[in-house]
Amino acid sequence: MPRRALIDYRPWLLASLAASISYFFARDNYLPGDLLIVWKGAAVACLAVYAARRAKNADGWLLVAVLALGALGDMALELDMIAGGALFAAGHLTAIALFLRNPRERRTGSQWLAAMTLLIGTPLVAALLALPDPRWPMAAGYAAIVGAMAASAWVSRFPRYRVGVGAVLFVVSDLLIFAREGQLVPEDLTWWTIWPLYYAGQFLIATGVVRTLRLGRA
């Protein structure tokens, strides 16, 4: 990587990692709520800045919007679940637009099968996890958007083993949230897994899309 790129761009990735890791260990230390909310949002916000500094076209700015909505969603979730979910849904819809604008030239049967599994399986599993809560249709509807995001990522021209896997990690983290709300998995398990899976997904999506757009290849 050119020296200028190293100086101008990599620090935002390092800042994002530092914010994510430090938040993970600080969130149970009874710090002021406002501080933790901003701290939490900073992790993905730094990824948005990283993407913005490298954005050269509409696809680049769509990625910035996805990450910015994710950072806002992270903070909003600490105040209101519905508002946070709405921001994330908007981010997923933006990501779907980005991925559909960048289709893979050749798609194998296994790739289509994986995409359909994500598209159909994600809301189905979410509904099963949410039942018998009367809000299960809301959970399934949101999960349908997440599943569509992951499915479109998997068949896009972006690298499956970075962007595709990142989208799948996002799906898993959300399904664990539904399982936690339904008291189907131990609290300790979700405490240690949801944030790392979610952040890893955002990080892989951000760096995978940026790298592909920069190199101009799949």
Side-chain angles (χ1 to χ4, degrees):
M1 175 175 290
R3 183 177 179 82
R4 178 176 175 79
L6 179 63
I7 294 172
D8 289 349
Y9 306 125
R10 286 291 179 87
W12 290 106
L13 291 180
L14 294 176
S16 175
L17 286 166
S20 174
I21 294 170
S22 58
Y23 167 76
F24 179 76
F25 290 104
R27 57 190 171 147
D28 198 29
N29 290 333
Y30 305 103
L31 296 171
D34 291 345
L35 174 61
L36 280 178
I37 289 172
V38 174
W39 199 337
K40 181 183 183 184
V44 177
C46 287
L47 291 178
V49 176
Y50 162 76
R53 292 180 65 85
R54 311 210 77 173
K56 304 295 183 183
N57 53 32
D59 289 333
W61 288 109
L62 280 173
L63 174 64
V64 174
V66 170
L67 296 169
L69 287 165
L72 291 172
D74 282 333
M75 293 186 288
L77 281 176
E78 300 301 312
L79 303 172
D80 183 272
M81 287 289 290
I82 301 298
L87 285 165
F88 271 112
H92 295 320
L93 291 171
T94 306
I96 291 169
L98 169 63
F99 298 141
L100 292 180
R101 281 169 55 92
N102 291 271
R104 183 172 293 275
E105 291 185 5
R106 293 184 179 180
R107 299 166 183 169
T108 65
S110 62
Q111 291 164 8
W112 278 116
L113 178 61
M116 293 305 297
T117 299
L118 289 166
L119 182 64
I120 299 171
T122 303
L124 177 61
V125 173
L128 292 174
L129 291 173
L131 286 170
D133 191 306
R135 297 171 297 177
W136 72 265
M138 184 182 299
Y142 171 79
I145 298 174
V146 182
M149 180 276 293
S152 60
W154 198 260
V155 294
S156 73
R157 73 184 183 98
F158 301 111
R160 288 188 304 279
Y161 297 109
R162 183 174 293 188
V163 176
V165 167
V168 171
L169 292 178
F170 210 127
V171 168
V172 174
S173 70
D174 277 349
L175 291 179
L176 281 172
I177 291 174
F178 295 135
R180 180 190 64 192
E181 295 301 310
Q183 299 182 338
L184 299 174
V185 295
E187 184 77 21
D188 287 346
L189 174 64
T190 57
W191 179 260
W192 287 100
T193 55
I194 289 175
W195 177 259
L197 288 170
Y198 160 76
Y199 176 75
Q202 292 279 41
F203 187 90
L204 288 171
I205 291 169
T207 55
V209 171
V210 165
R211 178 175 174 80
T212 301
L213 294 178
R214 180 172 66 87
L215 297 179
R217 63 173 177 80

